[in-house]
Amino acid sequence: MANDEHLKKIWEKRHQLFSKFDEGIEMPDSCMWHMVTPEPNAIEHAKRFKGKKTVVDGFGGCGGNSIQLAKVVDKVYYVELNPKRLEAAKKNARIYGVEHKIEFILGDFLEVSKTLKADGVFLSPLWSTRVNNSYNDYVDFDIRNMEPIPGDIIFNAARKISKNVAFFMPVTTPFHQLSQLADAGEHVEFYNEPNPFEVGTAMALSAYYGDLAKKY
């Protein structure tokens, strides 16, 4: 961590990632330090799913989003391809007292999605295989060039589970690309995610579909 200035900044504000960090939270690899959703943002995401019974967290990572989702729904289907991250997520969920509300599934989201039905889907996929990217590194972002899975393919798999999808993406993602994923005439809501590491800036862009999108 000493050789990575971005990681040092994150470490200094690690309690923004998990408020219970000092109780034994596990982060098994550097990618998770860069890509984990900060807890204040995960709490706001979860509020969108309040009142639903089941939600899929398609790219579960260390469990930050699943933990907050489990506080507002009956059951969360956590999906993760990396076994070390899955084991860390189990431990982290146990620390928050919600492990019993999460079904932990080891597998590829595109394959697992074929077997699931739920009331909503939360998507926070890997944006790039370049694991040391910070949120500000994604210039001229194109969802079709996401690595290792293009964003449109991820989204289409999620919509087969539920029409109610939340998509957590780089702040530079073009609105028109995210709008084109929706059905004809469907309202899509965009929300600039506040950055807890740099006050007054946006760290990401969330797109909400189905009944997760607020109607104005």
Side-chain angles (χ1 to χ4, degrees):
M1 189 173 295
N3 296 323
D4 190 318
E5 289 300 319
H6 182 62
L7 275 181
K8 288 200 304 186
K9 289 180 181 179
I10 296 175
W11 172 256
E12 291 168 359
K13 296 190 176 183
R14 58 195 178 278
H15 298 102
Q16 292 277 9
L17 302 180
F18 291 95
S19 60
K20 296 180 181 287
F21 192 94
D22 295 340
E23 297 181 31
I25 292 294
E26 288 191 2
M27 304 272 281
D29 56 74
S30 62
C31 182
M32 287 295 92
W33 281 96
H34 286 282
M35 296 302 294
V36 66
T37 304
E39 188 168 294
N41 303 80
I43 290 171
E44 291 303 313
H45 293 155
K47 289 178 181 178
R48 297 285 182 137
F49 294 89
K50 190 173 183 179
K52 300 192 181 306
K53 291 186 176 181
T54 56
V55 176
V56 175
D57 183 2
F59 299 83
C62 290
N65 289 299
S66 285
I67 287 168
Q68 299 306 324
L69 288 166
K71 292 181 179 181
V72 301
V73 303
D74 293 343
K75 185 173 185 177
V76 176
Y77 295 100
Y78 160 107
V79 183
E80 174 56 56
L81 188 59
N82 185 310
K84 291 184 178 179
R85 294 176 188 171
L86 185 145
E87 289 304 315
K90 283 185 179 180
K91 180 177 180 181
N92 296 343
R94 194 174 310 130
I95 290 170
Y96 279 83
V98 295
E99 183 184 18
H100 64 289
K101 296 183 69 178
I102 303 173
E103 181 175 334
F104 294 90
I105 302 171
L106 180 65
D108 182 334
F109 174 71
L110 296 186
E111 291 302 316
V112 174
S113 66
K114 299 173 184 177
T115 69
L116 295 175
K117 287 295 179 184
D119 300 322
V121 183
F122 179 82
L123 298 173
S124 181
L126 194 66
W127 300 334
S128 170
T129 54
R130 293 167 290 175
V131 299
N132 290 326
N133 283 10
S134 73
Y135 286 109
N136 297 322
D137 290 335
Y138 298 92
V139 180
D140 298 325
F141 190 79
D142 189 326
I143 64 172
R144 297 164 296 186
N145 296 331
M146 283 171 60
E147 302 169 338
I149 311 173
D152 52 342
I153 292 176
I154 292 171
F155 181 85
N156 290 336
R159 290 279 269 200
K160 292 178 181 178
I161 300 172
S162 172
K163 289 292 186 181
N164 308 315
V165 176
F167 210 177
F168 186 74
M169 299 293 284
V171 71
T172 54
T173 306
F175 283 16
H176 73 272
Q177 287 192 348
L178 294 169
S179 295
Q180 288 170 356
L181 297 175
D183 294 338
E186 179 182 359
H187 172 63
V188 182
E189 181 190 352
F190 298 105
Y191 177 69
N192 282 322
E193 297 283 344
N195 188 344
F197 306 116
E198 296 181 31
V199 176
T201 66
M203 67 177 292
L205 174 69
S206 286
Y208 295 101
Y209 302 82
D211 66 16
L212 301 179
K214 293 178 180 177
K215 306 298 190 293
Y216 297 101

